[in-house]
Amino acid sequence: AVSRPETRRSTASTRRTVPVEAPEEPQRPQPLSPEVRRRFTSRAAVLLAVICLLAVGLTYPLREYVEQRHQIAELEAQQRRNAQDIASLQDQQRRWQDPAYVEQQARQRLQYAKPGEITYVVVGGPDDTGAEHHGSATGRSTTHGPSWSERVWGSVRVADRP
């Protein structure tokens, strides 16, 4: 075992007396001098100017943001309308693939008839609104504008006039 020498410390010679001071009274705030007031006012003016510059600087981007959101909403609405139009056109294309629909349209629009059928065209019927009634011997009748043959004959008459 290693022995350590013992040292004694004397505490009597190191004690000192420190005078106790009375607690300080709280100081009242002193009124602001004109110089301090002027600095406060100039600081406030600078702060106000910076805030105004930030507001003016952010106005244009904010306006652009709002306009772009409006444009996006319009484009989304247009996209929905286009999707509806596409669906309608695809449905119409499917109908035109059906031979029965093509035959029906040929009968209505071009006044075609099957061999042996008799077609009648009523001119100046009870519904004298300018539209003509087209019917066939089968009893079907539709209301449309002038037929293609009447339009061709009408254009020939118009072309013949001076």
Side-chain angles (χ1 to χ4, degrees):
V2 177
S3 65
R4 291 189 181 164
E6 288 186 30
T7 57
R8 289 187 175 199
R9 294 185 186 170
S10 155
T11 58
S13 63
T14 59
R15 287 189 186 177
R16 294 183 191 167
T17 58
V18 178
V20 178
E21 296 179 14
E24 295 182 19
E25 291 183 21
Q27 296 180 356
R28 285 190 239 158
Q30 297 195 2
L32 297 175
S33 65
E35 181 180 311
V36 173
R37 285 184 192 168
R38 189 168 13 117
R39 274 193 230 152
F40 179 72
T41 304
S42 64
R43 286 181 188 166
V46 169
L47 181 63
L48 183 62
V50 168
I51 291 173
C52 288
L53 286 174
L54 286 174
V56 169
L58 292 176
T59 301
Y60 180 74
L62 184 62
R63 183 177 52 135
E64 288 296 317
Y65 173 76
V66 170
E67 286 180 10
Q68 288 176 357
R69 295 303 300 172
H70 182 68
Q71 287 176 349
I72 288 171
E74 286 178 356
L75 290 174
E76 287 173 346
Q78 182 180 1
Q79 191 174 24
R80 285 190 296 274
R81 286 190 305 268
N82 289 344
Q84 290 173 349
D85 290 346
I86 289 171
S88 172
L89 290 172
Q90 287 174 341
D91 182 46
Q92 187 177 5
Q93 184 181 18
R94 268 187 252 107
R95 283 185 286 173
W96 279 104
Q97 299 298 325
D98 182 18
Y101 182 77
V102 173
E103 179 182 344
Q104 176 192 13
Q105 293 300 312
R107 287 175 171 265
Q108 285 180 355
R109 294 181 182 190
L110 304 175
Q111 297 179 358
Y112 279 11
K114 289 185 177 183
E117 287 183 340
I118 299 173
T119 60
Y120 297 97
V121 177
V122 179
V123 179
D127 189 22
D128 199 16
T129 59
E132 297 180 6
H133 296 278
H134 304 287
S136 66
T138 60
R140 291 188 226 154
S141 67
T142 57
T143 303
H144 288 288
S147 67
W148 68 273
S149 58
E150 291 170 347
R151 287 191 304 242
V152 169
W153 183 245
S155 67
V156 168
R157 277 190 262 151
V158 170
D160 190 36
R161 293 184 193 151

